[in-house]
Amino acid sequence: RQRTLWWDPAKAAACYHGRQLDKLLYHLGARVTITDREAALEFLESNVQANLPSELHPRAVVKELTWGKDLDNFPPGAFDFIFGADIIYLEETFEELLQTLEHLCSEQTVILLSCRIRYERDNNFLKMLKGHFSVYEVYYDSNKDIHIYKAQRHSHKDDF
């Protein structure tokens, strides 16, 4: 079973927890699916090879994911954590992004979204997300104007 879905660059969310991602993965024995659009996969794969210790390579899978497309390539609700960094920016993709998150999440899945709120449309996505998930701001870096939001399906309100 895949344990974590990681949208690059997710280190901002990992740094929120005060740990280096590679060490966290190693100690937890996690398997990670790292996704992006098809055009970025080669670059993403080379980053994984260059930046993860070689003993972690078998635990990291690079896979294409375009919001709302070919979701049957991912088992529904199979991920414990989803880290997304700077993925809220194109209003025309908000519905597909929400559909993707709904497909990937179980009742226990924890989503951490790291982003800048640049425009009112970004707040509109958060409102859409709140229609399907409980959403809380868990961290704000005022120097960099970066927010980190935690989201879980409405029925799950335990602290992470």
Side-chain angles (χ1 to χ4, degrees):
R1 173 176 147 149
Q2 294 291 322
R3 303 296 293 177
T4 305
L5 181 67
W6 175 30
W7 278 296
D8 189 60
K11 284 198 175 184
C15 288
Y16 158 70
H17 293 289
R19 297 185 173 114
Q20 290 294 323
L21 187 59
D22 56 355
K23 291 177 185 168
L24 182 63
L25 293 176
Y26 179 77
H27 290 295
L28 293 178
R31 293 179 55 210
V32 179
T33 302
I34 307 167
T35 66
D36 210 325
R37 294 171 297 166
E38 192 274 328
L41 291 181
E42 184 177 337
F43 179 70
L44 189 56
E45 182 65 46
S46 68
N47 273 337
V48 168
Q49 297 300 317
N51 294 302
L52 276 183
S54 60
E55 67 270 15
L56 294 181
H57 289 179
R59 296 188 205 165
V61 174
V62 173
K63 199 166 180 181
E64 179 181 358
L65 177 62
T66 301
W67 312 140
K69 307 276 191 259
D70 300 320
L71 294 179
D72 55 335
N73 291 331
F74 297 87
F79 297 95
D80 296 324
F81 292 93
I82 295 176
F83 297 102
D86 213 17
I87 61 173
I88 304 169
Y89 57 91
L90 288 176
E91 190 169 22
E92 59 269 18
T93 66
F94 288 174
E95 288 288 337
E96 291 84 3
L97 175 54
L98 185 57
Q99 176 190 6
T100 301
L101 291 172
E102 287 182 306
H103 175 81
L104 297 172
C105 290
S106 71
E107 296 294 321
Q108 291 75 36
T109 303
V110 174
I111 303 168
L112 291 176
L113 296 177
S114 173
C115 62
R116 287 191 173 101
I117 303 298
R118 296 175 182 94
Y119 307 103
E120 185 56 33
R121 67 179 182 235
D122 302 337
N123 282 316
N124 291 340
F125 176 76
L126 293 173
K127 289 176 191 170
M128 290 172 60
L129 189 64
K130 288 176 182 178
H132 301 267
F133 295 87
S134 298
V135 179
Y136 307 94
E137 183 176 66
V138 294
Y139 178 79
Y140 177 66
D141 182 331
S142 59
N143 293 327
K144 296 181 182 177
D145 192 29
I146 295 175
H147 303 260
I148 298 181
Y149 296 95
K150 173 188 169 189
Q152 288 183 277
R153 291 200 181 268
H154 282 300
S155 64
H156 198 297
K157 297 189 185 234
D158 293 342
D159 280 337
F160 165 56

